[in-house]
């Protein structure tokens, strides 16, 4: 019976040793990824949570084991330590763990204790994003994204909408702010075959139309051309302009559309029933443009309106 208990005792001993080996006394304060720098020196830091009331504070010391090599850590204060790792090769992943020694008073006796952390990985990234040159803009404006390790084919995406992106250099990309709907806080990310990177919030401000007419004055049946202009090239899908009015019987006009690549469009407005009101023009991402409208009746206008054919040329 005594021999039958032996394997269980050994098993429990091994489990106890493994658990005590990775102790929660040690807190790693080093991020999992650090951008590559020119000096190739990277600070690895940790802190120690004292072992209860029985440990002797001034007795703590720490070391770090980096890829199998042991190095003494610098003591910054009582329980914080750091080590400046100087990278000598082009490897981008470093394995390391911490070890601490300290003294503990137990039943009047001084005892030496040692603890070891779990294994950590440090990635030295040669590809990262510094940020936008400006984190806001109007649709159609060009914004620069700064960083390192960019490649051709990388592009910026805002709220799931791919932006027209140009590769400038491994350190910068240029993208065109898209036209988006309500709200000016949008989530951006860099999309790449090497993995996407979140870019945070980008603010898109609304843009305005420029109109060739500050007001519209027509007689019944008279026609007048209205030119709408924007200060950037319309996107591939074009821009649909929504036209509404509070005098629907007084205005006759077709739908307004700015085609891809264009910066302006024109529409012919024809006077209908006499009335006075407003023409409201808006599109996704644009400020509403309000144009006063007045339509009056005349004998010449009535005769012109009797034509069966309406032309918008």
């Amino acid at each position: 019976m005594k021999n039958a208990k032996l394997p269980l005792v050994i098993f429990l001993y091994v489990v106890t040793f493994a658990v005590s080996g990775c102790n929660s006394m040690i807190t790693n304060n080093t991020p999992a990824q650090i951008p590559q720098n020119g000096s190739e020196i990277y600070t690895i830091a940790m802190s120690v949570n004292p072992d209860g009331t029985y440990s002797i504070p001034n007795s703590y010391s720490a070391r770090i084991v980096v890829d199998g090599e042991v190095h003494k850590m610098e003591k910054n204060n009582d329980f914080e330590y750091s080590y400046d790792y100087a990278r000598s090769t082009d490897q981008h992943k470093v394995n390391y763990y911490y070890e601490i020694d300290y003294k503990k008073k137990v039943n009047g006796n001084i005892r030496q204790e040692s603890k070891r952390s779990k294994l950590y990985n440090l990635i030295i990234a040669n590809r990262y994003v510094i940020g936008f040159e400006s984190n806001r803009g109007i649709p159609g404006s060009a914004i620069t994204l700064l960083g390192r390790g960019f490649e051709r084919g990388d592009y910026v995406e805002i709220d799931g909408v791919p932006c027209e992106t140009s590769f400038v250099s491994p350190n910068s990309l240029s993208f065109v702010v898209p036209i988006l709907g309500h709200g000016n806080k949008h989530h951006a990310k860099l999309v790449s075959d090497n993995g996407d990177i979140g870019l945070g919030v980008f603010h898109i401000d609304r843009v305005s139309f420029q109109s060739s007419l500050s007001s519209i004055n027509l007689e019944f049946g008279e026609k007048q051309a209205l030119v709408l202009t924007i200060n950037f090239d319309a996107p591939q899908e074009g821009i649909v302009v929504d036209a509404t009015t509070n005098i629907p019987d007084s205005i006759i006009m077709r739908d307004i559309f700015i085609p891809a690549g264009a910066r302006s469009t024109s529409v012919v407005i024809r006077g209908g029933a006499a009335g006075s009101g407003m023409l409201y023009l808006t599109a996704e991402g644009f400020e509403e443009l309000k144009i006063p409208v007045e339509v009056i009746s005349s004998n010449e206008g009535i005769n012109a309106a009797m034509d069966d054919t309406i032309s918008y040329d």
Side-chain angles (χ1 to χ4, degrees):
M1 293 294 293
K2 290 183 180 180
N3 292 336
K5 293 181 179 179
L6 183 58
L8 178 60
V9 173
I10 294 175
F11 175 76
L12 291 175
Y13 175 80
V14 172
V15 171
T16 303
F17 178 81
V19 171
S20 63
C22 297
N23 198 277
S24 60
M25 287 177 59
I26 301 173
T27 300
N28 188 22
N29 298 326
T30 309
Q33 181 169 296
I34 297 179
Q36 184 178 2
N37 61 61
S39 63
E40 293 287 7
I41 296 175
Y42 306 92
T43 299
I44 303 176
M46 65 91 158
S47 58
V48 174
N49 306 310
D51 185 9
T53 58
Y54 298 102
S55 64
I56 301 174
N58 294 330
S59 67
Y60 283 83
S61 63
R63 57 189 174 272
I64 184 171
V65 181
V66 183
D67 288 340
E69 295 185 1
V70 181
H71 306 275
K72 183 180 178 181
M73 299 190 74
E74 181 179 350
K75 191 172 186 177
N76 300 322
N77 57 43
D78 286 344
F79 300 108
E80 293 185 358
Y81 300 82
S82 64
Y83 169 71
D84 287 339
Y85 167 69
R87 189 172 72 155
S88 57
T89 66
D90 60 355
Q91 68 181 47
H92 293 286
K93 185 177 180 181
V94 178
N95 301 312
Y96 66 96
Y97 61 88
Y98 304 109
E99 293 179 335
I100 61 170
D101 296 324
Y102 65 99
K103 293 179 180 179
K104 187 175 182 180
K105 191 172 184 179
V106 180
N107 297 326
N109 298 317
I110 303 298
R111 190 168 70 189
Q112 185 76 21
E113 294 281 340
S114 297
K115 300 293 181 183
R116 186 176 114 176
S117 74
K118 69 177 184 178
L119 184 67
Y120 297 101
N121 296 319
L122 172 64
I123 296 175
I124 299 172
N126 63 347
R127 178 178 176 273
Y128 56 87
V129 171
I130 296 173
F132 300 112
E133 189 175 40
S134 173
N135 69 342
R136 73 185 307 144
I138 61 173
S141 61
I143 302 293
T144 299
L145 180 67
L146 302 174
R148 180 168 181 162
F150 296 144
E151 297 181 356
R152 295 186 186 277
D154 292 354
Y155 65 91
V156 175
E157 186 178 279
I158 300 180
D159 279 358
V161 177
C163 302
E164 180 184 336
T165 306
S166 300
F167 175 84
V168 179
S169 74
N171 298 322
S172 66
L173 298 175
S174 176
F175 69 95
V176 177
V177 179
I179 300 173
L180 293 176
H182 300 294
N184 64 353
K185 292 183 179 181
H186 305 274
H187 295 281
K189 69 177 179 180
L190 175 68
V191 181
S192 172
D193 291 338
N194 296 318
D196 300 347
I197 299 176
L199 303 176
V201 172
F202 188 84
H203 299 258
I204 300 180
D205 296 313
R206 288 184 175 272
V207 68
S208 301
F209 290 113
Q210 288 81 49
S211 170
S212 62
L213 301 175
S214 58
S215 62
I216 299 172
N217 298 282
L218 296 169
E219 293 184 352
F220 181 79
E222 183 183 2
K223 294 183 290 186
Q224 192 170 19
L226 170 68
V227 179
L228 279 184
T229 304
I230 57 176
N231 59 2
F232 60 94
D233 295 342
Q236 186 175 2
E237 65 275 13
I239 299 173
V240 177
V241 181
D242 184 27
T244 59
T245 180
N246 57 352
I247 47 171
D249 295 333
S250 302
I251 298 176
I252 303 169
M253 59 187 294
R254 61 171 171 80
D255 295 335
I256 306 176
F257 179 73
I258 303 176
R263 293 197 169 203
S264 66
T265 190
S266 62
V267 61
V268 174
I269 300 174
R270 186 168 185 170
S276 179
M278 301 290 292
L279 175 64
Y280 305 96
L281 302 177
T282 188
E284 188 176 48
F286 283 77
E287 295 284 355
E288 185 178 64
L289 175 64
K290 301 176 182 179
I291 303 176
V293 178
E294 184 175 9
V295 179
I296 60 175
S297 61
S298 71
N299 290 333
E300 292 182 3
I302 292 174
N303 293 333
M306 294 178 67
D307 292 340
D308 292 332
T309 302
I310 299 178
S311 173
Y312 295 107
D313 296 332

